[in-house]
Amino acid sequence: MAMEATPTYKDPHQPIEARVQDLLSRMTLAEKIGQMTQIERAVATPSAIRDLAIGSILSGGGSAPTSGASAKDWVDMVDSFQKSALESRLSIPMVYGVDAVHGHNNVVGATIFPHNIGLGATRDADLVQKIAEATAKEVRATGIPYNFAPCVAVCRDPRWGRCFESFSEDCELVRSMTTAVRGLQGTPPEGHPKGYPYLGGRLNVIACAKHYVGDGGTDGGVNEGNTLSSFEHLESVHLRPFLDCLSLHVSTVMASFSSWNGTKLHCNYYLITELLKEELGFKGFVISDWEGIDKILDPPKSDYRYCISASINAGMDMVMVPFLYEEFIKELTSLVESGEIPMARINDAVERILRVKFISGLFEHPFADRSLLQTVGCEAHRKLAREAVRKSLVLLKNGKDPEKPFLPLDKKAKRVLVVGQHANDIGYLCGGWTISWAGSSGRITEGTTILEAIKKTVSEHTEVIYEVDPSPEIFNDSEFSFAIVVVGEEPYVETWGDNSVLDIPLNGAELIRLVGSKVPTLVIMISGRPLVVEQVLDNMEAFVAAWLPGTECDGITDVIFGDYEFHGTLPRTWFKRVDQLPMSVGDSNYDPLFPFGFGLKMNLKKQDTTKQ
Ligand code: GLC
């Protein structure tokens, strides 16, 4: 019996589009709808993956194979899902997605880089590309080829709970940071078709520009709220970073939970289909956010059939269901069979999904490259993260008398007081999206806290006293050369981060007042955004914004003790009071405490050891 020739779609030497069309022509409606379905790993069974031809599986924030799972545990899990996918009738590989938004943040032991607001302060596009390259390798080391990053939101109001995920309030600064796409996916050859997805190889991952469009511009900074603006404003402030991502051949785009002038992005035909796909020529796929189609209506899913119909017909290609996938598949199938969703729309969605899968090499290499396992948290990546921390720091005050700068600190000081839980809590220093979705306090992963870095930096004769919450008496018993008070925000994520007060949380202000009234004090702020500090500024000799630095806080002592000069400048306006908000650079009523772009230097005497 003559052997059947290799089907076109299985032949890597065939053109991508020929493979797409060949496979599409072989698929049943059920298989097509399966490919449009993304489910959470917690509900992903071998039979569902195989029998429903599930196109994608994800880890929601913090969803790991087990608590403290190793890279090998991750690889074993992802490969096991893939094995089931390849047992489907047409052996279409599934694509596994994760949020690695400041390193591979779901994985204990992974390198955790500064969150995007800190990277915005570096204004270093090459550094952001290198961080993305490193992140891609650590993601691949766990067998995962798809990262829901970068977030290219332009956060116009720091009351937004996702301010820290945005590089800046300034569109042009955000645009410059889209080099993250190149770092994640690699650089396509000259002439790669406009709007076409790309993936360089097995050290790269499929990227996802999010959240399309205007997530950072909602009224009052309300998460998942309503962006009220002309199209011209939406285009000039929020859309342009997506144009840059498209020019870098980003393979996927994630729709925003938010609305534009009252219409949910998840069912916005004009913005998704007419603008992104037709006018701008995007050829990858558009993915929903988590239960994003459900929220087209309020209350969510109040008419699920309508939610599905409205989003798919608007141009949604893959749906992050992520749990009740049988219901989704049943309703979508019925909508196609009734003609409410044309088959042409389904074919367009599946073509896009298959195109990304073929481009990514998934058909040729569906399983993990286990030689990469040691990449997770490797020394080279931690060194890069330490550099990023250094460059992210912004010096806002240095000495009550400008003629008497307070920094750099003396490594040979006799006795140093370090104050505040943030000084020695790696969970606080990493912020949200770390190990768990919302992040948490405590020794949640491997890294170096500020206190540990201080102890490594000062001389052997220097006494370091650490007090989370010192009593006033401490100052009667001891004399301190100086104090370092580390205060700021506790980890949060998404709506739980929405905040219209923006005071220094916990007892941060009291600590600054107490310690600053007794000892010359450097305050280090650990936060995802500027906070109200005007009332305690006079209590500080020096003030440094460190944002959410991640695991490599040696980068902070590198600078405050003078081995490196400050580099960072404010990526967003430091307001005086919340009643000024929203207030961004260029506004007519611009009256900041510290303006966008502000940042001091220590003006270190030129020494051999001083590096930029
Ligand atoms: C979240 C976020 C999105 C993330 C997705 C998957 O709700 O909005 O940024 O990629 O769900 O975790």
Side-chain angles (χ1 to χ4, degrees):
M1 185 179 74
M3 294 283 286
E4 187 202 354
T6 303
T8 297
Y9 80 92
K10 288 189 174 180
D11 180 351
H13 304 298
Q14 294 296 326
I16 295 287
E17 292 308 310
R19 300 178 76 181
V20 168
Q21 293 309 319
D22 176 57
L23 180 49
L24 188 69
S25 69
R26 300 168 184 262
M27 295 170 74
T28 64
L29 173 60
E31 289 162 336
K32 291 176 182 177
I33 288 176
Q35 286 300 301
M36 295 170 67
T37 307
Q38 183 181 69
I39 68 175
E40 221 282 337
R41 51 160 290 284
V43 297
T45 63
S47 56
I49 298 166
R50 181 188 61 242
D51 300 341
L52 300 174
I54 294 295
S56 182
I57 301 169
L58 86 148
S59 280
S63 179
T66 58
S67 170
S70 67
K72 183 181 178 303
D73 295 333
W74 280 89
V75 166
D76 290 344
M77 174 189 74
V78 176
D79 278 0
S80 167
F81 288 144
Q82 191 66 286
K83 181 174 172 295
S84 299
L86 296 179
E87 289 167 357
S88 62
R89 183 178 74 89
L90 293 168
S91 296
I92 303 173
M94 64 90 200
V95 60
Y96 197 99
V98 73
D99 295 272
V101 295
H102 63 138
H104 197 357
N105 42 259
N106 276 341
V107 179
V108 172
T111 311
I112 303 299
F113 294 89
H115 267 295
N116 285 352
I117 187 167
L119 300 185
T122 72
R123 286 172 166 74
D124 188 333
D126 291 341
L127 176 65
V128 165
Q129 180 171 325
K130 289 191 183 89
I131 290 170
E133 287 164 1
T135 301
K137 288 173 185 166
E138 296 202 21
V139 171
R140 277 287 191 173
T142 59
I144 299 171
Y146 183 18
N147 182 6
F148 306 125
C151 175
V152 293
V154 181
C155 171
R156 303 292 285 175
D157 191 323
R159 292 174 291 186
W160 185 35
R162 306 191 74 165
C163 181
F164 69 89
E165 297 184 65
S166 168
F167 291 108
S168 175
E169 69 186 35
D170 176 69
C171 178
E172 293 310 306
L173 179 48
V174 173
R175 296 186 66 184
S176 71
M177 302 276 111
T178 55
T179 49
V181 173
R182 192 185 294 132
L184 290 171
Q185 295 191 159
T187 304
E190 274 302 305
H192 195 68
K194 176 175 181 290
Y196 215 76
Y198 177 75
L199 191 104
R202 302 181 73 189
L203 296 179
N204 299 113
V205 292
I206 297 161
C208 180
K210 70 183 189 182
H211 308 82
Y212 184 80
V213 60
D215 53 345
T218 60
D219 191 32
V222 173
N223 189 45
E224 305 185 16
N226 190 22
T227 300
L228 291 160
S229 78
S230 66
F231 176 76
E232 289 64 31
H233 178 86
L234 186 76
E235 190 277 332
S236 62
V237 173
H238 300 286
L239 182 69
R240 288 183 186 172
F242 287 92
L243 303 185
D244 298 304
C245 291
L246 263 57
S247 68
L248 291 166
H249 299 281
V250 72
S251 298
T252 72
V253 170
M254 184 182 291
S256 175
F257 283 126
S258 58
S259 302
W260 177 49
N261 295 335
T263 300
K264 286 278 184 179
L265 261 296
H266 272 70
C267 60
N268 197 309
Y269 179 80
Y270 167 65
L271 290 174
I272 296 176
T273 295
E274 291 184 327
L275 179 61
L276 180 64
K277 292 184 174 179
E278 293 174 357
E279 186 176 332
L280 299 174
F282 177 58
K283 298 285 186 299
F285 68 76
V286 177
I287 184 169
S288 82
D289 204 332
W290 182 281
E291 297 176 350
I293 71 169
D294 307 13
K295 297 177 181 177
I296 285 171
L297 293 178
D298 186 14
K301 283 183 86 170
S302 45
D303 178 346
Y304 193 40
R305 188 178 176 84
Y306 169 78
C307 292
I308 298 171
S309 170
S311 64
I312 302 298
N313 280 329
M316 197 67 66
D317 301 312
M318 182 178 281
V319 173
M320 187 184 293
V321 178
F323 295 118
L324 304 178
Y325 56 86
E326 284 121 334
E327 179 190 14
F328 169 70
I329 290 169
K330 174 173 169 285
E331 288 293 356
L332 179 50
T333 304
S334 167
L335 283 160
V336 178
E337 288 170 344
S338 70
E340 290 166 86
I341 295 178
M343 181 56 86
R345 176 71 272 277
I346 299 298
N347 287 340
D348 173 59
V350 177
E351 277 175 17
R352 291 169 178 271
I353 292 165
L354 296 181
R355 181 175 297 131
V356 172
K357 289 186 174 183
F358 281 121
I359 285 268
S360 69
L362 261 177
F363 280 80
E364 284 65 55
H365 303 289
F367 295 109
D369 174 354
R370 291 175 183 251
S371 71
L372 297 173
L373 282 172
Q374 302 313 313
T375 314
V376 175
C378 67
E379 202 43 48
H381 293 173
R382 292 187 186 276
K383 189 163 173 260
L384 179 64
R386 181 171 176 169
E387 176 191 355
V389 171
R390 285 198 295 267
K391 291 184 172 179
S392 69
L393 304 177
V394 182
L395 180 58
L396 296 170
K397 179 178 181 182
N398 188 18
K400 289 178 180 175
D401 173 355
E403 295 309 309
K404 296 176 186 160
F406 185 62
L407 299 182
L409 300 175
D410 180 3
K411 293 179 183 177
K412 295 183 179 130
K414 184 169 182 297
R415 185 179 296 109
V416 175
L417 175 63
V418 181
V419 170
Q421 182 173 346
H422 286 75
N424 199 36
D425 187 315
I426 204 78
Y428 275 13
L429 292 163
C430 289
W433 289 107
T434 312
I435 308 308
S436 65
W437 182 37
S440 63
S441 69
R443 179 63 63 175
I444 61 172
T445 190
E446 297 157 30
T448 305
T449 66
I450 295 174
L451 176 65
E452 290 163 343
I454 291 167
K455 288 179 176 175
K456 287 196 289 182
T457 302
V458 297
S459 76
E460 58 185 331
H461 307 298
T462 302
E463 186 183 5
V464 178
I465 308 292
Y466 177 52
E467 292 285 345
V468 170
D469 190 359
S471 65
E473 290 64 46
I474 190 176
F475 300 98
N476 305 331
D477 312 338
S478 305
E479 192 175 324
F480 297 100
S481 313
F482 55 79
I484 301 172
V485 174
V486 188
V487 295
E489 296 186 297
E490 296 178 286
Y492 51 80
V493 74
E494 304 195 34
T495 300
W496 292 269
D498 282 3
N499 181 333
S500 57
V501 175
L502 295 180
D503 286 339
I504 304 172
L506 305 169
N507 63 338
E510 291 66 36
L511 286 177
I512 295 169
R513 286 195 185 93
L514 168 63
V515 179
S517 65
K518 305 281 187 187
V519 180
T521 296
L522 160 65
V523 171
I524 299 174
M525 183 67 76
I526 302 300
S527 63
R529 54 198 157 188
L531 298 173
V532 177
V533 296
E534 192 172 29
Q535 294 78 353
V536 291
L537 207 50
D538 286 348
N539 300 102
M540 311 174 187
E541 281 292 337
F543 179 34
V544 171
W547 317 112
L548 298 170
T551 52
E552 307 313 309
C553 292
D554 290 297
I556 293 175
T557 46
D558 285 345
V559 178
I560 63 176
F561 283 93
D563 290 338
Y564 287 79
E565 176 57 276
F566 279 92
H567 169 94
T569 54
L570 286 179
R572 61 176 316 108
T573 298
W574 202 292
F575 50 89
K576 291 173 181 170
R577 304 176 314 279
V578 286
D579 63 21
Q580 295 180 293
L581 301 177
M583 176 175 66
S584 302
V585 59
D587 289 357
S588 54
N589 61 342
Y590 199 62
D591 175 28
L593 182 63
F594 302 108
F596 172 83
F598 182 81
L600 301 174
K601 301 274 188 187
M602 291 181 286
N603 299 316
L604 298 166
K605 295 179 206 49
K606 284 293 163 222
Q607 306 151 1
D608 295 345
T609 58
T610 301
K611 301 176 249 340
Q612 175 66 29

